[in-house]
Amino acid sequence: MMKDTTTQYQAVVAQCRDIFDKKMKDYGVAWRILRTPSLTDQIFIKANRIRSLQTKAERLVNEGIESEFVGIINYSAMAIIQLRLGVSEHPDLTPERASELHNQAIQEAFDLMSRKNHDYDEAWRSMRVSSMTDLILMKLLRIKQIEDNDGNTIVSEGLDANYYDIINYAVFCLILLSEK
């Protein structure tokens, strides 16, 4: 099954990368001015919308949840980049360099997923998209608490580990949604 997961994962992140690169052409790297908590809040808004759409019978905006999961993946990669580079007062990367850094963050998430997926024996395939949405929201609340603690933890994983998990849960959700 790992080969299928790898192929499916790479297909999802290729779609995310394409959208990221196109947005860099449209907007440049304006996101470099965002502080990490602002990115966390943006991811939270997207995850909360997904949960809302999963529980409400009526939609007033005709957009599905797939694009929100793509946004979660891309904003999480941006947050990892911001953690590494720090916030800039002005856009300071070329779109090409931003794409390289995005690819690096996604590759690190993939590497983590590969190790965990081996140990957990593809358990995510038996999970519900709604459960993974809840886990993403929980991870975001953890991130907010760590941010409120100035990035310090006593025994818990740091910010980057939580963003990697969010990327992986969102990829899994997109894979499961594509299989329906």
Side-chain angles (χ1 to χ4, degrees):
M1 262 313 211
M2 186 59 184
K3 184 174 186 284
D4 290 337
T5 296
T6 297
T7 301
Q8 290 174 301
Y9 192 104
Q10 296 304 332
V12 166
V13 298
Q15 174 192 5
C16 296
R17 184 177 303 114
D18 181 58
I19 291 169
F20 181 83
D21 290 344
K22 286 176 179 170
K23 294 227 180 200
M24 292 307 98
K25 288 180 178 142
D26 286 347
Y27 303 129
V29 292
W31 56 269
R32 282 287 290 133
I33 69 157
L34 293 173
R35 292 170 284 187
T36 312
S38 297
L39 288 164
T40 302
D41 287 344
Q42 186 63 34
I43 299 163
F44 181 83
I45 288 167
K46 292 188 168 301
N48 197 63
R49 179 173 185 270
I50 293 166
R51 183 173 168 153
S52 175
L53 291 175
Q54 289 170 338
T55 58
K56 290 181 180 175
E58 181 183 17
R59 286 186 187 182
L60 299 182
V61 177
N62 192 22
E63 295 174 1
I65 63 174
E66 290 84 357
S67 64
E68 301 293 1
F69 281 119
V70 170
I72 287 170
I73 292 164
N74 285 337
Y75 277 116
S76 295
M78 288 182 227
I80 292 166
I81 293 167
Q82 294 297 72
L83 287 173
R84 291 193 179 133
L85 299 183
V87 176
S88 179
E89 293 299 316
H90 54 84
D92 62 347
L93 299 174
T94 64
E96 296 77 20
R97 181 66 180 140
S99 186
E100 290 171 12
L101 293 168
H102 178 275
N103 291 343
Q104 181 181 355
I106 296 296
Q107 182 62 47
E108 291 165 359
F110 172 78
D111 293 343
L112 176 65
M113 179 282 299
S114 295
R115 292 189 306 274
K116 285 186 173 184
N117 202 35
H118 174 271
D119 290 355
Y120 285 92
D121 201 27
E122 301 254 321
W124 65 271
R125 289 193 179 272
S126 298
M127 293 177 68
R128 297 174 185 94
V129 171
S130 60
S131 296
M132 285 191 268
T133 301
D134 290 349
L135 289 169
I136 289 169
L137 284 163
M138 179 194 66
K139 294 272 180 189
L140 287 162
L141 292 173
R142 288 179 178 182
I143 288 169
K144 286 180 173 208
Q145 183 62 52
I146 294 168
E147 289 170 345
D148 290 347
N149 293 339
D150 296 321
N152 298 315
T153 60
I154 299 169
V155 297
S156 304
E157 296 176 314
L159 294 168
D160 59 346
N162 284 285
Y163 286 121
Y164 288 131
D165 286 346
I166 289 169
I167 289 170
N168 288 329
Y169 282 128
V171 170
F172 292 158
C173 288
L174 286 169
I175 291 169
L176 292 176
L177 289 168
S178 75
E179 291 178 340
K180 285 190 176 185

